[in-house]
Amino acid sequence: MNANPDAEPRTNQGFFTQAFRFGLVGIGGAAVDYGSLTVILALGTWPELARILSFTIGSTAVYLVNRRWTFTSSRSTREVVALTAVLATTFALVAGVNALALRLLPEGSWQITLAWAISQAIATTFNFLAQRTIVFRQRSASTPA
């Protein structure tokens, strides 16, 4: 079921084209994520909660761009359900890795930034592979949407 019949048709972009676009979008999303983390922390929020909120803000921004440019979304019901599952898993991964890093890294002025970078790198890798293979997977012409 296609929720938007006027959506652009899928293109058969290769892995490297999608990875490149995802990376460019991800740089912008990382800036939104880290920028919002900085603001949220400045408001006195607990670091683990601040990371969860910044992830949510950054992921929303990245999804909105990736669905139109990187993966050319059909915006189907299946896609929304798959995206929800992938983002929930990515959310758990980023929160868990960030919390673990904050506990294992020595205290210092760079601790929160390094924990963010580690959780961001792991979550971004998982998120790209999961979105490419699960959410925005290419269908052949004979496979019904």
Side-chain angles (χ1 to χ4, degrees), residues 20-125:
F20 179 75
R21 287 181 176 195
F22 193 87
L24 286 179
V25 173
I27 290 168
V32 169
D33 185 330
Y34 191 74
S36 62
L37 175 69
T38 303
V39 170
I40 295 165
L41 285 170
L43 295 172
T45 306
W46 176 51
E48 287 84 349
L49 177 59
R51 179 63 181 112
I52 290 167
L53 294 172
S54 73
F55 168 79
T56 303
I57 294 165
S59 292
T60 300
V62 166
Y63 167 72
L64 292 173
V65 177
N66 275 331
R67 77 175 184 160
R68 298 286 289 160
W69 187 54
T70 305
F71 298 110
T72 315
S73 165
S74 67
R75 291 173 279 201
S76 66
T77 302
R78 186 211 61 81
E79 182 181 293
V80 171
V81 170
L83 178 69
T84 301
V86 166
L87 287 181
T89 303
T90 306
F91 175 83
L93 185 63
V94 80
V97 169
N98 188 73
L100 183 62
L102 286 173
R103 279 159 188 65
L104 296 178
L105 292 170
E107 287 190 33
S109 60
W110 49 269
Q111 181 190 32
I112 289 175
T113 299
L114 185 55
W116 174 86
I118 292 167
S119 65
Q120 188 72 13
I122 291 170
T124 298
T125 302

Side-chain angles (χ1 to χ4, degrees), residues 124-140:
T124 298
T125 302
F126 169 79
N127 198 21
F128 170 70
L129 295 172
Q131 285 194 36
R132 186 175 198 280
T133 60
I134 299 169
V135 179
F136 301 108
R137 70 177 180 245
Q138 298 293 319
R139 296 179 179 273
S140 67

